[in-house]
Amino acid sequence: MAFAAFATTTAQADPAPRRRSRVALLLLLPGILYLVLFFLTPLVSLLITSFQAPAEFGDIGQYTYAFNWQNYVDVVTDYWPHIVRSFAFALAATVLALLFSYPLAYFIGVTARRWPLLQSLMLVLVIAPFFISFLLRTLAWKQLLSDESFVVTSLKAVSLLAPDAHLTGTPIAVIFGLTYNFIPFMTLPLYTTLERLDLRYLEAASDLYAHPFDVFRKVTIPLSMPGIVAGTLLTFIPAAGDYVNASRDFLGGPDSQMIGNVIEANFLVLLNYPAAAALSIILMSVILVIVGIYVKRAGTEELL
């Protein structure tokens, strides 16, 4: 009894845990300040701006602080097709990127293990687009998909496209651009997961006379689920807010504008800052809800 009391008194008198907590707090302080200055403060400012009302005697672009909920009602009423289109395009691009990226990541992470040089070369090829500007890559595809390009003329020559059909300015071109630009964001998380995959599980399933498709469906996919979830999130979230691919200056057209284009127009052209801020808050909120539900259903809550 006396020994326990002595040990408790010694632990309370020991300043080492308190010193370690102070050191940890000091190490966290720069990151906390960074988040407060460059995330929390702009977010609060954006939220305040979304409730502003036009100045009574001001010019265009002048607003006063208010609590105007009508801004949210107006932007949803006016721009709900753009909101729905943005998430539909992002979902389509995410699914296509997953279909293209999974075989590629499987080859790099599993099949090419016996050839380290080939594995490294394939990784370099996946990362290589990052060395070129996002805008330049999208602009290059605008030229490749133009009416006079070899791709379009060849498709028309074999009757896969109508003689008066266009690719640029259509939803197909926008989804294609989103898929192409975000494929590396899907491939790299998948590769990271598949590269650590223990092949003995696959061998054991084969030894138990499982069909290769069943091995892939019941063993490979569940073990690679963290990479799938991470890749789809890294693709879907930026794709939903993208405004470059759908821009009329690149691959988009009047019927393929996304919510990012509307935010850009309201902020830079129409000077309707409350509408742009309200759309941004709506976009962020919907993405957070979708991501939370998706991660919960996928059973990978530890990624949040």
Side-chain angles (χ1 to χ4, degrees):
M1 191 75 175
F3 177 78
F6 174 76
T8 304
T9 305
T10 304
Q12 292 176 350
D14 186 9
R18 187 177 301 174
R19 188 181 303 114
R20 285 195 294 268
S21 65
R22 290 177 180 175
V23 172
L25 181 60
L26 288 175
L27 292 175
L28 288 173
L29 189 59
I32 294 174
L33 291 176
Y34 180 88
L35 289 176
V36 170
L37 289 175
F38 298 105
F39 176 74
L40 186 60
T41 302
L43 180 62
V44 172
S45 176
L46 189 71
L47 187 61
I48 294 173
T49 303
S50 68
F51 290 108
Q52 288 182 344
E56 187 174 357
F57 300 105
D59 297 329
I60 297 177
Q62 293 185 350
Y63 299 90
T64 59
Y65 291 104
F67 196 71
N68 187 17
W69 275 101
Q70 190 63 31
N71 291 336
Y72 286 86
V73 177
D74 292 341
V75 296
V76 172
T77 303
D78 295 339
Y79 301 117
W80 68 264
H82 300 81
I83 298 174
V84 174
R85 188 183 302 131
S86 297
F87 290 107
F89 285 3
L91 179 61
T94 302
V95 172
L96 290 174
L98 179 60
L99 294 177
F100 286 121
S101 297
Y102 199 98
L104 178 60
Y106 187 89
F107 177 81
I108 300 174
V110 179
T111 307
R113 287 186 189 181
R114 65 190 75 174
W115 306 298
L117 185 61
L118 177 62
Q119 189 178 42
S120 301
L121 177 62
M122 295 293 292
L123 276 176
V124 170
L125 292 177
V126 171
I127 301 173
F130 288 121
F131 294 96
I132 304 174
S133 170
F134 186 92
L135 297 177
L136 290 178
R137 283 184 276 139
T138 309
L139 188 61
W141 277 113
K142 179 183 179 181
Q143 300 299 321
L144 290 172
L145 298 179
S146 63
D147 295 340
E148 301 81 13
S149 68
F150 173 78
V151 175
V152 174
T153 54
S154 299
L155 291 175
K156 291 180 178 180
V158 295
S159 300
L160 292 178
L161 276 179
D164 57 344
H166 308 279
L167 286 181
T168 54
T170 63
I172 294 176
V174 175
I175 294 173
F176 176 84
L178 291 171
T179 304
Y180 165 76
N181 281 306
F182 291 108
I183 273 182
F185 294 91
M186 180 72 75
T187 304
L188 293 176
L190 286 171
Y191 160 76
T192 303
T193 302
L194 291 170
E195 198 273 336
R196 296 185 305 218
L197 181 65
D198 192 344
L199 299 183
R200 291 177 295 181
Y201 290 114
L202 308 184
E203 295 173 358
S206 299
D207 292 340
L208 294 173
Y209 303 102
H211 191 273
F213 179 75
D214 293 329
V215 174
F216 177 76
R217 182 170 59 91
K218 296 183 178 181
V219 180
T220 306
I221 289 183
L223 291 177
S224 61
M225 187 57 68
I228 294 175
V229 173
T232 50
L233 292 180
L234 288 174
T235 302
F236 179 82
I237 293 174
D242 182 78
Y243 65 92
V244 174
N245 290 276
S247 173
R248 300 187 186 188
D249 296 328
F250 290 93
L251 300 175
D255 298 328
S256 57
Q257 298 293 286
M258 299 172 63
I259 189 171
N261 305 106
V262 177
I263 294 173
E264 178 191 23
N266 276 278
F267 187 80
L268 297 178
V269 180
L270 302 177
L271 303 181
N272 192 348
Y273 305 126
L279 283 170
S280 301
I281 295 295
I282 291 173
L283 175 64
M284 182 179 61
S285 302
V286 174
I287 287 178
L288 286 176
V289 172
I290 293 175
V291 168
I293 295 174
Y294 173 64
V295 173
K296 184 71 174 179
R297 294 296 298 271
T300 53
E301 292 89 344
E302 65 273 7
L303 292 175
L304 289 179

